[in-house]
C-alpha cells in the first residue's frame, strides 16, 4: 500500500517546499550575504572563498563593467566611473552631501543635482545611488543562488539604525530593482545583537557600537530569552571609516606639499590611507607610500599616536552619540552588561580603548565584526521563512531613529511619533482649520528633532479635500501616522464629522518616482537577458574545455584503438569545439560539443571494453561472482 507524506502545515518539514531566505549586509565598504544552513548561520563566500564583496561598481559605455573585487581593482585607473561608498549617497540630494562634507565635495564623481536624489554621471549614463546599490545586490543574489542551488523567496536587508525614511525607502527600491523580495529591513546593530545574543545565550542590557565604512550607529538593547528589545538608538549616517581614511589622506597631501590632487591621485591616497590605518591596528608605526605619475614617491612615516591625534574629533563624535543613547535609554554606562563591537572600523585600537573607558569594561569581540550583522540578518530571515523548531521563536522590538510629525502654522514641526518609539507603531492626533470656510488642508510630513520645519527633512505632502465649510477651529481632523516593521511610514487624515478622508504611503521626495522605478526595472530585465546569455556562454566554455582535455588524454592513452580516418574525425571535432569556444555563441559551442560526443561515442565504447578486459584478465569466474 502506498504511503502519503504528511507534515504539519506551515512547518519547514512541509513536503515539496523549499523556502530559501537570506540575510544581506549591504555595507558602505563591503557587502556580504549569509544563510542558515543545517541550523547554523553561515556567510556565503564567492567561488574563491572570499566572504566579503567590495561595494564597488565600475561602468563602461555598455553598462556594468565589473562589481566587487574586479571593480575595486579599477578604482585608481578609472575613478570617475568606478563608484565606491555609494551607501553614503542613498536618499540624499547634492545639498545634503555638501552639508555633510562641510562645503565642497572632494570626490572624483560628476554629481548631477536632479530633483530628488543625486545622480552620478558615468560612461553608461546617469546612475542613481539606488541603481548602483541594485547592481551590488544582483551580484550577491547570484552568489546566494549558486551556493544554495535554488531561487530565493526573499531577503532580510540591514540598514544603519540612523537611516531616515528616505534612505530606507531607497534601500527597498534597490532590492526591488535587483529582483529581491524584502522580507524586512532590520537595523544593523539589532541584527548584530540577534547574532550575539543567540550565539552566546546572553541576557541583560547590551550596547552595540557599530562603526562601519560610512555610518556610525549605537543601540542600547535589552536581551532576554526570546526577546530583543531596542531601548534607544542614535548615531550619524555620515560618519564612518571612510572619514578616518580621508583625514589621513588629506594629511599626506599637505605633508607632500601637493599643489593639487586630481581624482586619480586622490583615489590612490585614500586606498593607501585605508591600508595604513589597517596596518596601524597591529603596528606602532608604518610608512605611507604612494607613487606619483612623474616617478616620484610620497613616502611618509606615520605613527599610531599621530593617527589617533588626527582622528580624535571623529572618535569623540561617536562617544557623544553613545552617551546620548544611554540617556535616552535611561541607564548609566555602568548598567550595561556588555558592549558588542560591529563593523571593520572597530578594529582600530583607539576605538576599543575609548569604549572600554566609557563603559568600564572591555568590549566583546568574540564574533567577527565584519560578519556578525549578516549572520543576524540570516537568522531573522530564517525565522520569517518559517524554518524554526518548537521553542526557537523570538520577538524583535526595534525602534524608530528619528521623530515623525507634520507642519503646523508658522512653520513649526508638531511631533506625532517620537524617536525611539517601538515599531510597528501607530499614533494619532487631532488638528483643526485655521480659516473660516476652509474646505481643504495641506498636510506636510516631516522627520527630525528640530522645532522648525526648515530644519527637518521633508518626507511627503498630500491634501485632504472636501472638508465641510465651518468656522475656523470647528473641524476635527484626525491625522494618523503608522510605521511598519521596516521603519517605513504611512499617513492618513480624516475629518471626523463628515468622514472625508485621504491617505498616503509615504514615498519620500528623496526616493525614486514610480516611473523611474518602472524604467529601471525594464532596464534590469533587459540586462538580465544579457546576464543569462553570458552565464550560458561561460558554462559552455567550461564544458568545452573539459571535453577537449578528456578527448586529448584519451587519444594519448588509447589512440591505437582508432583507424587513421576515425582519429582524424575526432581531432577535427576537437578543433571545432575549440573554435566555437573562442566565440561568443553558446549555442554553437553546445552543437560542437554534441557533435564531438557523437563522433567519439564508438571510441569511448572501445576504451570501456579494453578497461573491462584488463580488469578481468587472469581472474576466475568465482573470484568476481557477486
Amino acid at each position: 500500500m502506498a504511503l502519503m507524506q504528511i507534515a504539519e502545515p506551515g512547518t519547514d518539514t512541509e513536503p515539496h517546499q523549499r523556502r530559501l531566505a537570506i540575510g544581506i549586509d549591504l555595507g558602505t565598504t563591503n557587502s556580504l550575504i549569509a544563510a542558515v544552513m543545517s541550523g547554523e548561520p553561515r556567510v556565503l563566500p564567492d567561488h574563491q572563498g572570499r566572504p566579503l564583496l567590495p561595494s564597488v561598481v565600475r561602468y563602461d559605455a555598455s553598462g556594468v563593467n565589473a562589481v566587487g573585487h574586479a571593480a575595486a581593482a579599477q578604482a585608481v585607473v578609472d575613478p570617475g566611473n568606478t563608484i565606491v561608498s555609494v551607501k553614503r549617497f542613498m536618499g540624499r540630494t547634492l545639498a545634503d552631501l555638501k552639508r555633510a562634507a562641510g562645503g565642497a565635495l572632494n570626490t572624483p564623481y560628476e554629481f548631477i543635482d536632479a530633483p530628488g536624489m543625486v545622480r552620478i554621471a558615468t560612461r553608461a549614463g546617469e546612475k542613481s545611488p539606488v541603481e548602483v546599490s541594485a547592481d551590488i545586490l544582483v551580484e550577491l543574489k547570484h552568489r546566494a543562488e549558486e551556493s544554495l542551488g535554488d531561487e530565493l523567496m526573499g531577503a532580510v536587508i540591514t540598514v544603519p539604525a540612523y537611516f531616515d525614511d528616505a534612505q530606507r525607502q531607497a534601500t527597498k527600491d534597490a532590492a526591488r530593482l535587483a529582483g529581491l523580495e524584502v522580507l524586512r529591513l532590520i537595523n544593523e546593530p539589532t541584527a548584530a545583537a540577534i547574532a550575539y545574543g543567540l550565539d552566546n545565550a546572553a541576557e541583560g542590557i547590551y550596547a552595540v557600537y557599530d562603526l562601519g565604512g560610512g555610518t556610525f550607529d549605537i543601540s542600547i538593547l535589552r536581551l532576554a530569552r526570546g526577546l530583543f528589545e531596542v531601548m534607544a538608538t542614535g548615531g550619524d549616517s555620515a560618519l564612518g571609516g571612510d572619514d578616518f581614511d580621508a583625514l589621513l589622506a588629506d594629511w599626506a597631501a599637505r605633508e607632500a606639499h601637493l599643489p593639487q590632487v586630481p581624482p586619480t591621485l586622490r583615489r590612490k591616497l585614500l586606498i593607501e590611507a585605508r591600508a595604513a590605518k589597517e596596518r596601524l591596528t597591529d603596528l606602532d608605526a608604518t610608512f605611507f607610500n604612494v607613487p606619483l605619475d612623474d616617478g616620484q614617491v610620497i613616502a611618509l612615516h606615520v605613527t599610531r599616536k599621530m593617527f589617533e591625534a588626527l582622528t580624535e574629533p571623529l572618535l569623540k563624535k561617536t562617544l557623544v552619540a553613545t552617551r546620548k543613547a544611554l540617556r535616552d535609554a535611561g541607564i548609566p554606562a555602568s548598567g550595561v552588561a556588555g558592549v558588542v563591537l560591529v563593523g571593520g572600523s572597530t578594529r582600530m585600537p583607539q576605538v576599543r580603548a575609548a569604549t572600554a573607558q566609557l563603559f568600564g569594561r572591555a568590549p566583546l569581540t568574540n564574533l567577527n565584526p565584519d560578519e556578525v550583522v549578516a549572520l543576524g540578518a540570516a537568522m531573522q530571515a530564517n525565522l520569517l521563512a518559517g524554518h524554526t523548531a518548537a521553542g526557537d521563536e523570538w520577538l524583535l522590538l526595534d525602534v524608530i531613529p528619528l521623530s515623525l510629525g507634520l507642519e503646523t502654522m508658522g512653520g513649526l514641526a508638531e511631533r506625532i511619533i517620537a524617536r525611539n518609539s517601538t515599531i510597528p507603531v501607530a499614533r494619532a492626533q487631532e488638528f483643526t482649520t485655521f480659516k473660516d470656510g476652509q474646505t481643504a488642508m495641506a498636510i506636510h510630513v516631516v522627520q527630525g528633532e528640530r522645532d522648525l520645519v526648515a530644519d527637518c527633512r521633508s518626507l511627503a505632502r498630500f491634501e485632504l479635500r472636501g472638508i465641510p465649510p465651518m468656522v475656523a477651529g470647528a473641524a476635527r481632523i484626525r491625522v494618523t501616522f503608522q510605521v511598519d516593521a521596516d521603519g517605513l511610514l504611512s499617513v492618513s487624515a480624516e475629518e471626523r464629522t463628515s468622514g472625508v478622508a485621504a491617505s498616503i504611503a509615504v514615498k519620500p521626495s528623496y526616493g525614486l518616482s514610480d516611473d523611474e522605478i518602472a524604467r529601471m526595472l525594464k532596464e534590469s530585465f533587459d540586462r538580465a537577458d544579457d546576464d543569462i546569455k553570458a552565464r550560458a556562454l561561460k558554462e559552455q566554455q567550461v564544458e568545452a574545455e573539459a571535453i577537449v582535455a578528456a578527448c586529448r588524454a584519451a587519444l594519448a592513452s588509447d589512440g591505437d584503438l582508432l583507424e587513421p580516418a576515425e582519429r582524424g574525425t575526432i581531432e577535427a571535432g576537437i578543433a571545432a569545439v575549440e573554435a566555437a569556444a573562442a566565440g561568443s555563441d553558446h549555442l554553437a559551442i553546445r552543437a560542437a560539443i554534441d557533435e564531438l560526443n557523437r563522433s567519439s561515442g564508438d571510441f569511448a565504447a572501445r576504451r570501456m571494453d579494453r578497461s573491462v578486459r584488463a580488469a578481468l584478465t587472469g581472474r576466475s569466474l568465482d573470484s568476481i561472482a557477486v
Side-chain angles (χ1 to χ4, degrees):
M1 180 172 60
L3 299 178
M4 180 180 293
Q5 184 178 4
I6 302 226
E8 289 292 334
T11 69
D12 61 356
T13 57
E14 191 170 342
H16 312 300
Q17 184 177 4
R18 293 188 68 195
R19 294 168 58 84
L20 298 179
I22 55 173
I24 294 178
D25 178 2
L26 183 60
T28 304
T29 306
N30 295 293
S31 297
L32 60 163
I33 192 166
V36 174
M37 304 169 69
S38 302
E40 293 293 328
R42 301 177 188 174
V43 171
L44 305 180
D46 65 10
H47 63 280
Q48 295 186 37
R50 299 172 297 194
L52 301 179
L53 176 77
S55 301
V56 184
V57 183
R58 186 192 184 202
Y59 294 95
D60 60 22
S62 62
V64 177
N65 174 273
V67 178
H69 295 279
Q74 302 297 317
V76 170
V77 299
D78 190 16
N81 295 284
T82 306
I83 314 302
V84 303
S85 300
V86 71
K87 185 173 179 178
R88 306 194 81 163
F89 311 147
M90 292 285 274
R92 290 293 176 252
T93 65
L94 186 58
D96 291 331
L97 298 181
K98 288 181 177 179
R99 191 180 306 114
L105 294 172
N106 191 7
T107 72
Y109 312 125
E110 180 186 345
F111 287 113
I112 300 169
D113 192 16
M117 199 185 309
V118 69
R119 303 312 198 252
I120 304 169
T122 73
R123 289 197 193 96
E126 295 180 13
K127 295 292 178 181
S128 76
V130 168
E131 292 173 277
V132 181
S133 298
D135 290 326
I136 297 169
L137 289 171
V138 166
E139 190 71 16
L140 292 172
K141 179 186 176 186
H142 287 331
R143 180 187 294 189
E145 290 175 343
E146 289 176 358
S147 298
L148 301 176
D150 208 341
E151 292 186 1
L152 305 175
M153 67 155 287
V156 169
I157 301 179
T158 64
V159 293
Y162 223 58
F163 255 22
D164 63 24
D165 199 73
Q167 292 166 305
R168 291 169 190 269
Q169 184 61 59
T171 303
K172 291 198 79 171
D173 287 343
R176 182 180 170 191
L177 282 177
L180 283 167
E181 177 71 23
V182 178
L183 300 177
R184 182 169 180 179
L185 296 180
I186 183 173
N187 290 340
E188 290 165 2
T190 308
I194 290 173
Y196 181 83
L198 294 180
D199 188 69
N200 295 274
E203 295 192 1
I205 296 175
Y206 282 77
V208 180
Y209 179 104
D210 183 356
L211 184 60
T215 59
F216 169 69
D217 289 315
I218 178 69
S219 289
I220 312 298
L221 302 96
R222 178 179 287 110
L223 276 58
R225 188 175 300 277
L227 175 67
F228 296 85
E229 179 186 3
V230 181
M231 304 170 66
T233 192
D236 189 334
S237 61
L239 170 63
D242 285 356
D243 301 288
F244 287 75
D245 302 342
L247 284 181
L248 186 55
D250 292 341
W251 169 84
R254 291 193 303 271
E255 290 294 304
H257 305 292
L258 297 176
Q260 57 183 358
V261 182
T264 298
L265 179 55
R266 176 68 178 174
R267 182 63 64 205
K268 286 183 180 179
L269 292 172
L270 289 171
I271 291 174
E272 176 59 16
R274 179 179 300 172
K277 175 187 71 177
E278 292 171 353
R279 292 194 295 270
L280 289 173
T281 297
D282 301 312
L283 302 174
D284 291 328
T286 187
F287 279 96
F288 188 107
N289 292 301
V290 173
L292 301 178
D293 292 339
D294 60 6
Q296 299 185 61
V297 177
I298 298 176
L300 301 170
H301 186 250
V302 186
T303 67
R304 182 190 293 176
K305 184 176 181 181
M306 183 278 292
F307 175 71
E308 291 178 354
L310 184 68
T311 58
E312 184 180 9
L314 298 178
L315 182 59
K316 283 184 174 179
K317 288 178 71 175
T318 72
L319 299 179
V320 168
T322 300
R323 293 188 182 95
K324 184 173 184 296
L326 287 168
R327 288 196 301 271
D328 288 344
I331 61 168
S334 58
V336 173
V339 184
V340 180
L341 296 186
V342 179
S345 297
T346 60
R347 289 189 172 92
M348 290 186 287
Q350 68 262 42
V351 170
R352 300 194 173 190
T355 52
Q357 181 178 2
L358 175 60
F359 289 96
R361 65 185 69 246
L364 303 166
T365 58
N366 56 314
L367 287 179
N368 186 326
D370 289 321
E371 299 181 357
V372 62
V373 168
L375 295 174
M379 293 177 181
Q380 178 70 9
N382 195 56
L383 179 71
L384 295 177
H387 301 309
T388 55
D392 283 349
E393 297 84 2
W394 69 81
L395 178 62
L396 173 59
L397 299 176
D398 217 328
V399 300
I400 189 168
L402 296 165
S403 298
L404 292 162
L406 50 77
E407 180 178 0
T408 58
M409 292 303 299
L412 298 177
E414 178 73 16
R415 294 187 185 91
I416 306 298
I417 300 180
R419 75 175 190 273
N420 290 321
S421 296
T422 301
I423 56 174
V425 61
R427 299 274 167 78
Q429 192 164 323
E430 285 197 356
F431 296 86
T432 189
T433 50
F434 179 71
K435 297 180 179 179
D436 291 343
Q438 186 174 339
T439 60
M441 176 179 285
I443 297 174
H444 182 198
V445 183
V446 297
Q447 185 170 31
E449 308 307 318
R450 305 287 293 276
D451 290 327
L452 296 180
V453 167
D455 297 322
C456 295
R457 177 171 295 280
S458 172
L459 294 183
R461 298 174 185 267
F462 69 105
E463 293 183 350
L464 176 65
R465 293 187 172 277
I467 301 172
M470 306 180 196
V471 297
R476 296 172 52 214
I477 300 166
R478 185 178 181 86
V479 180
T480 302
F481 279 52
Q482 289 185 300
V483 181
D484 64 16
D486 293 330
L488 298 177
L489 172 68
S490 60
V491 181
S492 61
E494 180 185 11
E495 203 290 305
R496 305 284 283 174
T497 58
S498 64
V500 172
S503 64
I504 185 171
V506 174
K507 178 87 167 178
S509 56
Y510 296 88
L512 298 175
S513 69
D514 290 338
D515 289 342
E516 286 179 298
I517 288 289
R519 174 185 61 79
M520 293 175 186
L521 280 172
K522 181 180 183 302
E523 291 175 355
S524 69
F525 292 150
D526 293 342
R527 191 174 67 230
D529 291 338
D530 294 335
D531 291 343
I532 291 171
K533 291 176 182 177
R535 188 177 294 266
L537 175 61
K538 187 63 178 177
E539 289 172 350
Q540 294 303 320
Q541 287 173 331
V542 170
E543 186 175 349
E545 182 179 353
I547 193 172
V548 165
C551 284
R552 290 196 185 283
L555 288 175
S557 62
D558 297 310
D560 58 299
L561 294 173
L562 295 169
E563 296 294 332
E566 293 174 318
R567 185 182 183 107
T569 299
I570 292 176
E571 289 179 339
I574 292 174
V577 170
E578 290 178 323
S584 58
D585 187 347
H586 70 278
L587 295 177
I589 302 174
R590 179 74 263 166
I593 290 173
D594 290 343
E595 178 59 26
L596 180 56
N597 281 328
R598 188 195 62 77
S599 63
S600 62
D602 289 343
F603 180 36
R606 292 177 208 173
R607 295 186 70 223
M608 179 64 72
D609 290 343
R610 172 178 280 185
S611 296
V612 171
R613 283 197 301 270
L616 297 180
T617 299
R619 300 181 63 183
S620 67
L621 185 62
D622 291 339
S623 68
I624 60 175
V626 178

